[in-house]
């Protein structure tokens, strides 16, 4: 049996188009999760939304982990799980706090700069050489963010809350860039189900430390949306992992930017949000920068939803 046939039998990929379509479906599911999360954050706040989602996801991932073959993680791996969970917790809190204060499309557009931060963090933490394409990509991304911010300042009545939301989303992208670096180390030491379990468990434990002061009982009418958010999140992560195991990143990365289209559609349908031309122009520049970066180092330009 040839190596090509062995690889095909292991991955199960029969056509490059199938992983691309599956990845696009994953992006759609995760975009729906973002819209549902925004509703929950507006209703009960970002802390309680993330806390309860992490707890429900821990139960689901724990059941999957217990049902299959598993091994006890070492202390070093547990430390890595805990470190990444702390970073992911910051990403979730900052991103969804900002999402509640911004139009969905604007928040998603700003979040696209995360792969650019990952490139520079890889150079800083892993000693990788920054290529010329990465510099041009970063300049395009910075210009895109500047255009989106200029659009906010140019509105007849811009709010300080929206600017704080923008700052929160940008902070989340910086930490998400570091999260990508940790994800690579983690993927070499643990299986996806284990990662999902311990990531959600550690996030729940970390946030639970403040539960006596901040936690609220979730109203009965929000349990179904919370369950929906958890299902969308886990299904999107699974489909994304399936796709990235069967096709090169450079073919799948462009599907991430379909999230912007879904954000525009879902924001308009559920929240009556209008998209300014500056948001469209800025997002296009950011996407262009990410595609340039992907050509320079596609393995670092992974979607946010793949690991959150």
């Amino acid at each position: 049996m040839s190596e090509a046939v062995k690889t095909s039998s292991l991955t199960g990929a029969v056509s490059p188009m199938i992983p691309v379509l599956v990845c696009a479906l994953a992006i759609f599911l995760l975009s729906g999760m973002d819209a549902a999360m925004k509703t929950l954050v507006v209703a009960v706040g970002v802390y309680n939304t993330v806390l309860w989602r992490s707890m429900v996801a821990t139960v689901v991932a724990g059941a999957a982990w217990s049902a299959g073959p598993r091994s006890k993680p070492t202390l070093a791996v547990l430390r890595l799980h805990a470190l990444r969970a702390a970073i992911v917790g910051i990403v979730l809190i900052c991103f969804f706090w900002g999402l509640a204060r911004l139009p969905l499309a604007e928040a998603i557009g700003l979040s696209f700069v995360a792969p650019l931060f990952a490139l520079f963090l890889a150079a800083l933490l892993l000693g990788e050489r920054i290529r010329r394409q990465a510099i041009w990509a970063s300049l395009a991304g910075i210009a895109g963010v500047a255009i989106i911010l200029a659009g906010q300042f140019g509105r007849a009545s811009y709010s300080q809350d929206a600017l704080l939301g923008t700052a929160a989303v940008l902070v989340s992208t910086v930490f998400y860039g570091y999260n990508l670096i940790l994800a690579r180390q983690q993927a070499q030491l643990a299986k996806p189900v284990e990662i999902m379990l311990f990531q959600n468990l550690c996030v729940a434990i970390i946030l639970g430390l403040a539960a006596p002061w901040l936690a609220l009982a979730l109203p009965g009418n929000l349990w179904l949306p919370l369950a929906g958010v958890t299902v969308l999140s886990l299904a999107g992560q699974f489909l994304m992992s399936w796709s990235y195991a069967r096709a090169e990143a450079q073919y799948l990365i462009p599907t991430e930017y379909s999230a912007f289209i879904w954000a525009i559609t879902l924001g308009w349908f559920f929240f009556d949000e209008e998209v300014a031309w500056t948001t469209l122009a800025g997002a296009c520049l950011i996407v262009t920068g990410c595609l340039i970066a992907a050509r320079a180092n596609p393995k670092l330009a992974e979607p946010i939803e793949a690991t959150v």
Side-chain angles (χ1 to χ4, degrees):
M1 183 182 293
S2 68
E3 288 300 319
V5 174
K6 288 181 181 178
T7 302
S8 178
S9 64
L10 287 173
T11 62
V14 295
S15 167
M17 184 55 63
I18 293 177
V20 170
L21 293 175
V22 171
C23 193
L25 175 60
I27 297 300
F28 169 70
L29 295 177
L30 292 166
S31 298
M33 181 207 70
D34 287 338
M37 282 291 289
K38 178 169 182 172
T39 301
L40 289 170
V41 169
V42 170
V44 296
V46 64
Y47 171 83
N48 284 282
T49 300
V50 176
L51 174 65
W52 286 108
R53 193 194 82 163
S54 298
M55 293 176 67
V56 173
T58 298
V59 173
V60 176
W65 183 73
S66 300
R70 60 191 183 277
S71 59
K72 185 178 179 180
T74 65
L75 184 59
V77 174
L78 285 175
R79 282 198 295 263
L80 183 58
H81 286 327
L83 174 59
R84 186 170 175 232
I87 298 301
V88 167
I90 295 173
V91 172
L92 293 175
I93 294 293
C94 290
F95 178 75
F96 288 118
W97 189 89
L99 181 63
R101 289 157 176 78
L102 292 173
L104 192 59
E106 195 168 304
I108 296 298
L110 288 169
S111 74
F112 286 157
V113 301
L116 304 180
F117 284 119
L119 287 172
F120 286 94
L121 286 171
L124 180 64
L125 300 176
L126 303 179
E128 296 186 1
R129 181 173 61 88
I130 299 178
R131 301 179 182 179
R132 182 177 301 177
Q133 295 99 316
I135 296 175
W136 285 111
S138 297
L139 291 175
I142 291 171
V145 172
I147 289 175
I148 293 176
L149 289 175
Q152 288 185 355
F153 282 109
R155 292 172 187 165
S157 57
Y158 68 89
S159 67
Q160 183 180 4
D161 211 31
L163 294 177
L164 291 175
T166 299
V169 170
L170 291 176
V171 168
S172 77
T173 64
V174 175
F175 280 95
Y176 184 75
Y178 182 41
N179 167 69
L180 285 179
I181 306 299
L182 294 176
R184 275 155 181 75
Q185 299 173 353
Q186 198 177 31
Q188 295 175 352
L189 301 172
K191 295 181 179 180
V193 174
E194 178 185 319
I195 293 173
M196 291 170 62
L197 168 60
F198 284 96
Q199 177 176 302
N200 285 290
L201 176 61
C202 291
V203 169
I205 291 173
I206 293 170
L207 293 181
L209 296 175
W213 300 276
L214 300 178
L216 298 174
L218 202 65
N221 64 322
L222 293 182
W223 279 104
L224 185 59
L226 182 71
V229 162
T230 304
V231 170
L232 288 173
S233 175
L234 295 177
Q237 290 179 43
F238 177 82
L239 293 176
M240 184 102 42
S241 299
W242 186 93
S243 301
Y244 271 81
R246 288 161 174 79
E248 294 182 2
Q250 59 184 316
Y251 297 114
L252 299 177
I253 287 164
T255 64
E256 165 68 9
Y257 306 117
S258 64
F260 190 67
I261 299 173
W262 295 121
I264 293 173
T265 304
L266 294 171
W268 168 77
F269 187 82
F270 289 106
F271 306 107
D272 294 323
E273 295 173 350
E274 296 182 359
V275 180
W277 72 267
T278 49
T279 299
L280 292 172
C284 286
L285 270 175
I286 293 171
V287 168
T288 299
C290 290
L291 292 177
I292 294 172
R295 291 177 63 86
N297 194 343
K299 291 184 179 180
L300 279 179
E302 291 185 359
I304 273 190
E305 291 84 353
T307 52
V308 168

